[in-house]
Amino acid sequence: MIKFFRKIRQNLLMENKTGKYFKYAIGEIILVVIGILIALGINNWNENRKNKESEKIILNNINKNLTIDSVQFDYYKEQFKQIDKLHFELYGLAQNEQTIDSISEPLLIRRTLYFKQLVDSDFIQNIRPINNPKINEVFTIYVQRVDDIEEVYFRQLYPLIEHTLKPLLKEHKLYNTENWFRLKNRNFQKDYTFKKVNNKNLIDKNRFIELAKTIEFQQLLFELNAKWNEFNTRLEIVIEENDNFRKLITSELKNY
């Protein structure tokens, strides 16, 4: 093709047709420029297509992680209900409104959670390649909501349980160590309470009730319940944001 164009230019020069030569040269330049633009356009289209496919994979992975996180959030919610119920029972003991038999699993008083969301770390790694402004905006809000929960849990609630409550239980010798070491299966039941051993608990209920009636414990119970409720309030917000986020991704994926 290049030899063909060169031959035409040589013929025009040999025939002394300078005007036609320059017109042809300009036309040739225009054709070359058009060819370059077309090539760039095709390359850009191909890159955009690859980016779209990459974003689609990332969004699908994020959506899966959001779904897994939503299941974990439901677990947190159920744990809160059980712990909150126990708190009210322990408060009722101090008011002589409850009896020993009305107390649910005492061991839940020291319950902590494994709090780690899959989507958080996945977003940090994958958010940059996503050019969808709606996704980026909701992502920012969602991560902030998750950070709010972590702020309450790791900096306030968890230290209160680990460094104040658990040492107090140990100090008052509430643990039934014999039952614990005789417990062959330490797995939780479906309601996340330990199975009883010969109808005995892993925490001595009588001593626990004596402790629960003290002013010291009731003050601590106030702090625990307040922090758990703050955790739950922020959890409900994240659950709603999680649901909205998954709906947005499902909707946006239709455009990929």
Side-chain angles (χ1 to χ4, degrees):
M1 183 64 69
I2 295 176
K3 291 182 178 180
F4 174 76
F5 286 132
R6 184 184 300 153
K7 187 174 182 180
I8 293 176
R9 290 198 303 270
Q10 290 175 349
N11 290 337
L12 289 174
L13 286 173
M14 291 176 64
E15 294 174 6
N16 200 25
K17 296 180 179 180
T18 306
K20 289 185 178 182
Y21 170 80
F22 281 115
K23 288 180 181 180
Y24 175 80
I26 293 172
E28 186 177 336
I29 292 172
I30 292 174
L31 287 175
V32 171
V33 171
I34 291 174
I36 293 172
L37 292 176
I38 291 174
L40 288 174
I42 293 174
N43 184 63
N44 289 337
W45 176 85
N46 192 44
E47 285 298 316
N48 289 334
R49 181 181 61 80
K50 289 181 179 179
N51 290 336
K52 282 280 188 179
E53 287 298 319
S54 177
E55 284 189 16
K56 185 176 181 179
I57 293 173
I58 292 171
L59 289 179
N60 274 313
N61 289 335
I62 290 173
N63 201 25
K64 290 178 182 178
N65 286 345
L66 283 169
T67 301
I68 294 173
D69 284 345
S70 71
V71 174
Q72 188 156 295
F73 291 147
D74 289 340
Y75 164 70
Y76 297 158
K77 187 72 178 176
E78 183 59 31
Q79 285 292 284
F80 166 77
K81 289 179 181 178
Q82 294 185 40
I83 293 170
D84 192 55
K85 179 176 179 290
L86 177 61
H87 287 177
F88 274 91
E89 291 170 349
L90 294 173
Y91 170 77
L93 279 176
Q95 309 303 315
N96 295 317
E97 298 172 355
Q98 299 283 350
T99 63
I100 294 177
D101 293 334
S102 64
I103 301 299
S104 56
E105 178 56 64
L107 200 64
L108 280 173
I109 191 66
R110 68 191 299 279
R111 187 80 172 100
T112 54
L113 305 174
Y114 176 74
F115 192 84
K116 179 61 182 176
Q117 278 50 68
L118 294 175
V119 75
D120 198 11
S121 58
D122 192 61
F123 264 135
I124 293 173
Q125 296 175 8
N126 294 323
I127 195 62
R128 291 183 180 179
I130 297 177
N131 296 315
N132 189 312
K134 292 181 181 178
I135 297 294
N136 288 334
E137 181 180 358
V138 175
F139 153 71
T140 303
I141 296 173
Y142 183 77
V143 170
Q144 181 59 57
R145 297 293 180 265
V146 173
D147 287 343
D148 289 343
I149 295 182
E150 292 183 345
E151 172 71 23
V152 173
Y153 184 75
F154 286 114
R155 295 196 177 184
Q156 301 178 43
L157 181 56
Y158 184 82
L160 188 62
I161 296 172
E162 290 294 320
H163 305 312
T164 304
L165 174 65
K166 288 184 178 181
L168 182 65
L169 299 178
K170 179 182 177 183
E171 178 185 341
H172 285 79
K173 300 178 175 62
L174 296 187
Y175 298 124
N176 284 324
T177 55
E178 182 180 359
N179 285 349
W180 172 259
F181 287 105
R182 285 184 177 181
L183 189 62
K184 294 181 180 179
N185 183 5
R186 294 194 180 101
N187 293 325
F188 282 104
Q189 300 182 102
K190 290 183 179 179
D191 61 352
Y192 299 101
T193 58
F194 273 112
K195 295 178 179 179
K196 295 181 180 179
V197 183
N198 297 325
N199 296 320
K200 294 181 180 179
N201 295 291
L202 297 174
I203 283 186
D204 188 310
K205 276 194 173 183
N206 292 324
R207 289 185 178 179
F208 191 33
I209 288 171
E210 291 176 7
L211 175 62
K213 291 184 176 182
T214 64
I215 295 177
E216 177 187 14
F217 185 85
Q218 287 294 317
Q219 291 293 310
L220 177 58
L221 185 64
F222 173 87
E223 285 294 330
L224 283 170
N225 194 257
K227 296 306 178 186
W228 271 113
N229 273 275
E230 187 175 354
F231 171 83
N232 182 64
T233 298
R234 301 194 186 198
L235 175 62
E236 289 179 344
I237 294 173
V238 169
I239 289 174
E240 183 178 356
E241 294 287 348
N242 180 284
D243 184 58
N244 292 336
F245 203 171
R246 283 183 287 141
K247 289 178 180 178
L248 174 63
I249 291 178
T250 300
S251 174
E252 291 299 306
L253 280 173
K254 296 177 182 178
N255 300 323
Y256 284 81

